[in-house]
Amino acid sequence: MYRALSQFERSIEETKMLSDLYDYVTKTLTVPMTFKDILRSQIVYSVSAFDKLIHDLVRIGMVQIFIGLRQPTQKYLSENISLDLYQKIVSTTIPPKEFLFEQEIFKKLKTVAYQDPSKIADGLSYIWNETHKWQKIASAMSMNEDIVKTTLKTICDRRNKIVHESDVDPFSGVKYDIEKVESELAVNFLLLCGKTISKLVS
């Protein structure tokens, strides 16, 4: 799980560097256009990095359970696998059984978006036997649970507007405004939230 966290932190650091790019182009280029799409990309990239982190933690944790390195959760035990996969796991030695299992988990979960708090909690249930997950996460972040969940929803909602609606108000046809402070707050929040979740489930 350390590798997953390290990759997440690198992705966030790269995303933060876009602030320097934004500062540079706004100060040095005098053209009749805005460069705020750079800020929008920060939100998109940071949400993607966070989503990938949760996927990685869940997948790695499930493999650890499979090979006996951590205790299984009820959700893990209730997960169905195909008879085809079962037969392969029983009969194979090369590649290792855990490799086949991990590939199956990857295929099964790759279409799930770990952005909404309820989806994240559900995904973490595969590997984390904590009943009040967001209460625990928020406490470790020194924040209120409702504020943490609302902030996450707000950031992901803005990401979805950018990705699926070009960040355009459907009534006015004008792009929603965005400021540097907004994108930086989003990136820093997701970094803290991701690091906190990683620490709690590791």
Side-chain angles (χ1 to χ4, degrees), residues 5 13 17-18 23 27 35 57 62 66 72-73 79 86 89 110 135-136 155 172 174 182 193 196 201:
L5 176 60
E13 284 305 311
M17 291 178 186
L18 290 172
D23 288 339
K27 290 176 182 177
F35 297 101
L57 294 176
M62 291 181 74
F66 180 79
T73 66
E79 187 65 21
Y86 173 77
I89 289 176
K110 68 179 181 179
Q135 183 178 349
K136 193 86 170 181
I155 293 170
S172 68
V174 177
E182 180 183 349
C193 191
T196 301
V201 304

Side-chain angles (χ1 to χ4, degrees), residues 171-184:
F171 300 103
S172 68
V174 177
K175 280 192 173 185
Y176 296 106
D177 193 24
I178 186 171
E179 298 297 336
K180 183 181 173 184
V181 64
E182 180 183 349
S183 62
E184 289 184 336

Side-chain angles (χ1 to χ4, degrees), residues 65 71-79 125-129:
I65 294 172
Q71 290 296 313
T73 66
Q74 188 57 48
K75 185 172 179 64
Y76 173 93
L77 293 174
S78 63
E79 187 65 21
S125 293
Y126 282 114
I127 63 170
W128 190 23
N129 263 325

Side-chain angles (χ1 to χ4, degrees), residues 5-187:
L5 176 60
S6 295
Q7 186 173 50
F8 169 68
E9 290 176 327
R10 286 196 302 272
S11 295
I12 292 295
E13 284 305 311
E14 290 171 359
T15 301
K16 284 185 173 184
M17 291 178 186
L18 290 172
S19 290
D20 295 331
L21 174 62
Y22 176 76
D23 288 339
Y24 176 79
V25 295
T26 52
K27 290 176 182 177
T28 59
L29 300 182
T30 54
V31 292
M33 64 177 293
T34 176
F35 297 101
K36 291 190 174 183
D37 279 345
I38 296 174
L39 304 179
R40 293 183 177 92
S41 71
Q42 282 189 300
I43 292 180
V44 173
Y45 290 147
S46 58
V47 171
S48 295
F50 180 81
D51 189 314
K52 175 174 169 48
L53 172 67
I54 303 302
H55 272 93
D56 289 346
L57 294 176
V58 171
R59 189 188 73 256
I60 293 167
M62 291 181 74
V63 173
Q64 288 177 340
I65 294 172
F66 180 79
I67 61 179
L69 293 181
R70 65 190 296 153
Q71 290 296 313
T73 66
Q74 188 57 48
K75 185 172 179 64
Y76 173 93
L77 293 174
S78 63
E79 187 65 21
N80 296 320
I81 63 171
S82 67
L83 291 175
D84 178 59
L85 175 63
Y86 173 77
Q87 188 62 39
K88 288 178 181 177
I89 289 176
V90 169
S91 61
T92 192
T93 55
I94 300 175
K97 301 178 190 300
E98 59 267 26
F99 176 81
L100 295 175
F101 179 77
E102 184 172 14
Q103 290 297 103
E104 184 67 18
I105 295 303
F106 178 82
K107 288 191 294 183
K108 188 177 185 67
L109 299 181
K110 68 179 181 179
T111 59
V112 179
Y114 287 129
Q115 298 173 15
D116 184 86
S118 61
K119 285 283 189 181
I120 294 168
D122 184 62
L124 293 176
S125 293
Y126 282 114
I127 63 170
W128 190 23
N129 263 325
E130 169 60 47
T131 304
H132 305 289
K133 292 180 177 62
W134 281 107
Q135 183 178 349
K136 193 86 170 181
I137 294 166
S139 177
M141 294 173 67
S142 299
M143 295 178 67
N144 174 273
E145 178 183 355
D146 289 337
I147 291 176
V148 169
K149 291 194 289 188
T150 299
T151 302
L152 181 57
K153 286 180 180 179
T154 300
I155 293 170
C156 292
D157 180 63
R158 187 61 187 271
R159 176 263 178 198
N160 291 335
K161 281 186 172 68
I162 295 168
V163 171
H164 301 296
E165 302 170 14
S166 194
D167 210 25
V168 172
D169 185 319
F171 300 103
S172 68
V174 177
K175 280 192 173 185
Y176 296 106
D177 193 24
I178 186 171
E179 298 297 336
K180 183 181 173 184
V181 64
E182 180 183 349
S183 62
E184 289 184 336
L185 284 172
V187 173

